[in-house]
Amino acid sequence: MSKIVKIEAFELFDSRAVPTVGVKVFTEKGGEGFAIVPSGASTGAFEAHELRDGGLRLGGKGVKKAVEHIRNLIAPALLHHDCRSGLETDKIMLELDGSENKERLGANSILGVSIAIAKAAASEQDMPLYKYLAGENKCVMPRPMMNILNGGAHASNNIDIQEFMVQPVCPASFAESMEICCEIYYALRDILKKKGLSTAVGDEGGFAPNLKGDEDALELISEAIIKAGYSTDKVKICLDAAASEWYLKDGIYRMPKRDKKYDGEELIALWEKLCEDYPIASIEDGIGENDFENFALLTKHLGGKIQLVGDDLFVTNEKRLQAGFLAGAANAILIKPNQIGTLSETLSVIKLAQENGYSAVISHRSGESEDTFIADLAVGVGAGQIKAGAPARSERVAKYNRLLMIEKEL
Ligand code: PGA
Ligand code: ZN
């Protein structure tokens, strides 16, 4: 037992100049934990509530209210509680909030405290965070899904698919994965340069050129894999369509940048065709968050061949994941702690997924910070996969650098 003795909260900024919550927790036995909460752009409708101030200051995005909630409500309720029982401290915050989706205190306030407590507990026991998170479980290094080309809500180019990533199939180590992905990133940059296309990057560090069509991105990435000296058997392409962003109404989707319309069936046919033509190993949110039926149909068609990840579909939420099991929708879940708002609920949904044969992919948000928490989380829960953006932009690379150092320790 070691008591929480002080909690400090700050309004800080994320990688898009958007205010965000930072929390410091101090414990009786000298532990100290610091967490910064990330934030999405293509946020799911069912995510826990991110509390923002509104008004004119900082475009309404200030988090002074969230910070005040930590200082005035959360800190007094948690002081003198055991920092090593995250389940209990999370429960106190959930009860204090009392709402279905954490709208009273804000999921950003609650998550910042929840993660900072875990870090403080690990630090006072002189334990690496991944080991603290693993408990009795075995630590496993993840394979990266490395973002190399950005579109959708993460870039101001004309590409509708939000994320194009590469993933080594059977790397010897995380360090080797990193080398492979970086070499492909350089190759793609060279190809774009030679074609006179932009090498400016989007929110997650991937290149964001204007292209004739989204297929061209797949063409260029396949070319980059080969140019870097790898085969498309050894390195696969992963996509995040973020199709909830495309949903219009009455079962119709519209890719906004190209102004192309699809119904659910046509969208499924598109993914099938792309999987025939390109070495695609994983598609995230190929169907929108409200469309369990078509997500299940997509899973029936492609689920035996590739990974189908539910991000906005599941929002790191146990109830929605259970609905996914029932419907037969997806075969993997994306894990973003700020979609649900506490560490204990995050750990519990990962366990539920793993016990039911769904893979868990640990993920950053498009608005990130220097906090490397998700790297330790991926190793501690043995998720096997992480997506943390491109090997460019320090808020992304920080996670990969942390993983490189963890691999040395293990
Ligand atoms: P977001 O993007 O953080 O903007 O939601 C990441 C994702 O959709 O996976
Ligand atoms: Zn996504």
Side-chain angles (χ1 to χ4, degrees):
M1 160 99 179
S2 168
K3 287 178 189 164
I4 294 168
V5 293
K6 190 160 74 169
I7 299 179
E8 291 177 348
F10 311 86
E11 181 182 71
L12 305 175
F13 288 85
D14 73 16
S15 56
R16 276 192 292 235
V18 175
T20 191
V21 175
V23 182
K24 262 190 180 175
V25 168
F26 301 86
T27 74
E28 186 182 31
K29 296 197 173 141
E32 204 179 310
F34 175 48
I36 306 178
V37 179
S39 178
S42 64
T43 45
F46 303 99
E47 294 192 19
H49 185 74
E50 186 179 65
L51 188 65
R52 301 262 177 210
D53 296 338
L56 292 177
R57 185 180 156 268
L58 290 163
K61 298 234 173 210
V63 291
K64 291 215 156 152
K65 277 186 208 160
V67 165
E68 288 305 308
H69 285 348
I70 296 174
R71 287 183 190 146
N72 302 330
L73 300 170
I74 296 177
L78 294 185
L79 286 187
H80 309 303
H81 283 273
D82 186 4
C83 72
R84 298 182 193 178
S85 174
L87 201 59
E88 186 197 309
T89 43
D90 281 353
K91 194 160 161 263
I92 293 171
M93 288 192 280
L94 291 181
E95 281 168 7
L96 194 61
D97 176 78
S99 70
E100 177 68 20
N101 68 346
K102 304 178 179 70
E103 65 194 24
R104 181 165 169 251
L105 297 177
N108 40 352
S109 320
I110 296 173
L111 182 70
V113 176
S114 184
I115 292 178
I117 289 175
K119 289 188 178 186
S123 103
E124 69 164 24
Q125 296 171 80
D126 236 349
M127 204 189 264
L129 181 59
Y130 58 85
K131 230 182 210 151
Y132 178 77
L133 294 171
E136 301 293 298
N137 296 333
K138 195 170 164 255
C139 292
V140 183
M141 291 305 299
R143 279 187 303 143
M145 265 184 186
M146 187 97 53
N147 187 313
I148 62 173
L149 202 142
N150 289 191
H154 296 167
S156 45
N157 60 357
N158 63 358
I159 304 292
D160 278 301
I161 294 175
Q162 181 177 279
E163 297 166 27
F164 295 79
M165 297 165 280
V166 287
Q167 184 178 50
V169 180
C170 286
S173 60
F174 185 79
E176 192 195 46
S177 286
M178 201 63 201
E179 281 179 23
I180 295 170
C181 294
C182 286
E183 284 168 356
I184 295 169
Y185 190 79
Y186 310 151
L188 182 59
R189 181 166 50 204
D190 287 347
I191 293 170
L192 293 172
K193 259 192 201 156
K194 279 210 183 95
K195 290 187 189 288
L197 295 165
S198 166
T199 54
V201 299
D203 288 357
E204 296 187 341
F207 301 112
N210 281 315
L211 301 172
K212 268 194 247 103
D214 284 28
E215 285 84 350
D216 289 34
L218 289 162
E219 208 58 69
L220 293 174
I221 292 167
S222 307
E223 205 181 313
I225 293 172
I226 305 296
K227 186 173 167 32
Y230 300 100
S231 79
T232 49
D233 291 334
K234 290 270 151 53
V235 181
K236 299 288 182 191
I237 299 175
C238 303
L239 301 176
D240 180 5
S244 301
E245 297 285 307
W246 302 341
Y247 193 73
L248 266 185
K249 59 173 180 167
D250 304 328
I252 300 300
Y253 293 81
R254 175 178 166 265
M255 291 191 187
K257 296 184 179 179
R258 305 219 178 266
D259 192 19
K260 268 196 209 162
K261 284 189 184 154
Y262 296 85
D263 64 18
E265 245 171 68
E266 289 165 337
L267 207 47
I268 292 169
L270 171 73
W271 300 133
E272 280 191 287
K273 171 88 174 75
L274 292 181
C275 285
E276 271 165 31
D277 296 348
Y278 300 98
I280 294 171
S282 177
I283 299 175
E284 179 182 327
D285 283 352
I287 294 287
E289 63 204 351
N290 284 308
D291 201 349
F292 272 91
E293 205 176 300
N294 276 312
F295 218 121
L297 204 58
L298 173 69
T299 310
K300 212 167 159 192
H301 284 251
L302 283 176
K305 295 185 197 134
I306 66 164
Q307 177 170 267
L308 296 166
V309 187
D311 169 16
D312 293 345
L313 184 75
F314 295 142
V315 289
T316 316
N317 179 314
E318 277 191 37
K319 279 188 201 152
R320 292 193 60 92
L321 181 60
Q322 296 276 17
F325 295 158
L326 273 181
N331 54 27
I333 177 173
L334 199 76
I335 299 293
K336 293 167 165 169
N338 83 319
Q339 282 180 326
I340 188 70
T342 63
L343 178 54
S344 53
E345 287 168 290
T346 303
L347 295 174
S348 151
V349 77
I350 294 170
K351 196 158 170 266
L352 180 70
Q354 290 171 334
E355 284 169 358
N356 285 275
Y358 273 48
S359 306
V361 181
I362 307 299
S363 173
H364 64 158
R365 298 304 308 243
S366 49
E368 266 294 338
S369 75
E370 62 272 31
D371 191 329
T372 57
F373 175 75
I374 57 164
D376 287 74
L377 179 66
V379 175
V381 302
Q385 295 175 81
I386 187 168
K387 70 165 196 177
R393 301 196 122 185
S394 282
E395 76 279 4
R396 316 290 149 186
V397 181
K399 279 70 165 171
Y400 296 129
N401 283 342
R402 171 74 186 142
L403 285 164
L404 287 167
M405 291 196 283
I406 294 175
E407 184 163 75
K408 283 277 175 230
E409 287 176 20
L410 291 176

